[in-house]
Amino acid sequence: MEVIFKTWLYGYKELNTEKGAVGRWDLWNKTKYKQKVEKGELTSQDVAQLNHKEKLGYEFCIFNEDNQEFPFCTANVILKSSHAGVEFIDFIGRKYLNYLLGESLRNKEELFLREIWYYHFTSESGENEDYRMHFVFDEEGNINYRKYDDKNQKFEDYESNRKFDVSGLYEPYPNFGEYESLIRLDRNLPLDIFPKDGNNDNDPDVPKNPWLPGDWNKS
């Protein structure tokens, strides 16, 4: 796992420059590190570490050895606001999943996974989105979701009528450079967010979804 403290430019599918990334963080944090990066006095990693210490915002990308073209995920962290966002990228550079963590009410030194966005595409290689799902969790165990179906120009809402175990949605504040837990794709979620579509009923790697109605993903 390689951590690079730069912004990922989704439109260009490439890493930003150190100067560009730090300039972006300066706008967030009202700091003035960009000039020091331009002069070679600091690197983007140096600035990220300074921002982490002050609980200010910064970003990083995680690359795996099996794919150096696109990151496994990108992340932004603003601990002063009790915020962290992790966006997962597939093998052709599409964002397909987004975890949004916010303030935990039980402990000031941890985060709670409050939202998940899941994006489903029409084909394995195309950029066209079939639909997207927005899941919202709270610490009382309530769950609701909305399915946005752009193709048919409609959306559907679901709200749970029972409490779920959300103990697996808590995440400790990360130490600088130690992000293995924060960027976990496989989490102990109270539900399976990857839908059963009828074509993979016998595939053991595709999770079943016990709480969604059977026809929730039908057009």
Side-chain angles (χ1 to χ4, degrees), residues 40-69:
E41 297 174 3
L42 292 173
T43 66
S44 57
Q45 179 170 337
D46 295 331
V47 176
Q49 189 166 11
L50 290 167
N51 287 342
H52 185 93
K53 183 178 179 181
E54 298 298 324
K55 295 190 174 182
L56 300 177
Y58 65 96
E59 298 161 291
F60 60 87
C61 300
I62 301 291
F63 285 83
N64 286 333
E65 292 181 359
D66 57 349
N67 187 352
Q68 287 294 313
E69 184 178 4

Side-chain angles (χ1 to χ4, degrees), residues 150-196:
D150 292 334
K151 180 179 179 181
N152 296 292
Q153 297 186 340
K154 66 179 182 179
F155 63 85
E156 301 173 26
D157 289 322
Y158 174 86
E159 184 174 347
S160 63
N161 55 11
R162 65 182 179 89
K163 302 293 185 181
F164 287 81
D165 179 8
V166 294
S167 59
L169 302 185
Y170 290 94
E171 176 67 31
Y173 277 14
N175 294 320
F176 182 76
E178 299 177 5
Y179 305 114
E180 290 84 355
S181 181
L182 178 66
I183 65 165
R184 283 179 296 139
L185 176 61
D186 185 14
R187 289 182 173 272
N188 184 21
L189 300 175
L191 53 94
D192 294 320
I193 65 172
F194 296 102
K196 173 182 175 182

